[in-house]
Amino acid sequence: MEALKQKIRDEGIVLSEQVLKVDAFLNHQIDPRLMQQIGHEFAERFRGQGITKIVTIEASGIAPAVMAGLELGIPVIFARKFQSLTLKNDLLISKVFSFTKQTESTIAISAKHLTRADHVLVIDDFLANGHAAKALIDLISQAGASIAGLGIVIEKSFQDGRALLESEGYRVEALARVQSLANGQVTFRD
Ligand code: G4P
Ligand code: NA
Ligand code: NA
């Protein structure tokens, strides 16, 4: 998606060979027009497949997921990273290890929002090693729902996430695929 790649070139900051900072439009300040275009692009790639729900994870997955949900006309569920006081009963729970933060966290969604009749599109802001994606897939599978694929805003293609997900048969659609962050430069894969 060219508009996204241009935004990354213009406003992304290469923090290291592993980490791209996009606080200017995705992870802190949000560019609503770009998010709308991102939602449109996800909808184009996944339309017509009987998708009934989008599942993402707080916080940064929510904006692109909501825009995709708006385009597809379906609800968006975001997994919570902690057990909130009002989210107690019938919880589906999974653990996710963050390579970036070197911590394990628990994520949860309420079972009442997902059933075996659902066909789910998973959306997230970044795909690195795929741990967050795997935990979301685990939650969706616990509900007995099926998975149409994963929509990722920024894939770091030099990490293992895509290979892991594709090896398990999942379709991965990334709107920007970063091949390298070497020498302070963002190089895209295509
Ligand atoms: P993984 O899920 O693919 O294995 O990735 P990892 O554990 O490394 O990701 C942990 C967190 O760091 C996630 O955000 C993920 O989106 C984010 N992340 C991973 N690589 C990058 C990167 O290069 N740049 C930026 N900006 N973020 C990256 P989170 O902890 O869930 O936070 P939130 O932003 O959703 O609140
Ligand atoms: Na993030
Ligand atoms: Na995320």
Side-chain angles (χ1 to χ4, degrees), residues 37-53:
Q37 293 171 329
I38 283 169
H40 180 79
E41 183 68 26
F42 280 137
E44 289 297 301
R45 295 190 190 201
F46 286 100
R47 206 185 295 284
Q49 294 178 33
I51 296 170
T52 59
K53 296 267 170 83

Side-chain angles (χ1 to χ4, degrees), residues 106-124:
T106 302
I107 67 167
I109 61 179
S110 170
K112 73 178 170 206
H113 298 303
L114 267 188
T115 75
R116 61 186 61 254
D118 281 311
H119 193 45
V120 177
L121 170 60
V122 176
I123 285 187
D124 208 356

Side-chain angles (χ1 to χ4, degrees), residues 6-72:
Q6 194 56 49
K7 191 77 165 178
I8 293 170
R9 286 186 201 101
D10 292 345
E11 299 185 24
I13 296 170
V14 177
L15 279 190
S16 69
E17 292 203 354
Q18 306 288 320
V19 179
L20 173 67
K21 189 173 162 100
V22 288
D23 278 13
F25 60 92
L26 182 58
N27 289 142
H28 191 28
Q29 174 170 262
I30 292 172
D31 180 334
R33 177 69 70 192
L34 180 66
M35 264 339 117
Q36 187 176 42
Q37 293 171 329
I38 283 169
H40 180 79
E41 183 68 26
F42 280 137
E44 289 297 301
R45 295 190 190 201
F46 286 100
R47 206 185 295 284
Q49 294 178 33
I51 296 170
T52 59
K53 296 267 170 83
I54 290 173
V55 170
T56 188
I57 181 168
E58 67 176 349
S60 301
I62 296 175
V66 167
M67 291 302 185
L70 187 63
E71 289 278 341
L72 289 167

Side-chain angles (χ1 to χ4, degrees), residues 95-99 127-136 161 164:
K95 296 246 191 267
V96 50
F97 179 76
S98 168
F99 180 81
L127 177 61
N129 296 298
H131 294 136
K134 285 282 298 192
L136 291 174
L164 175 75

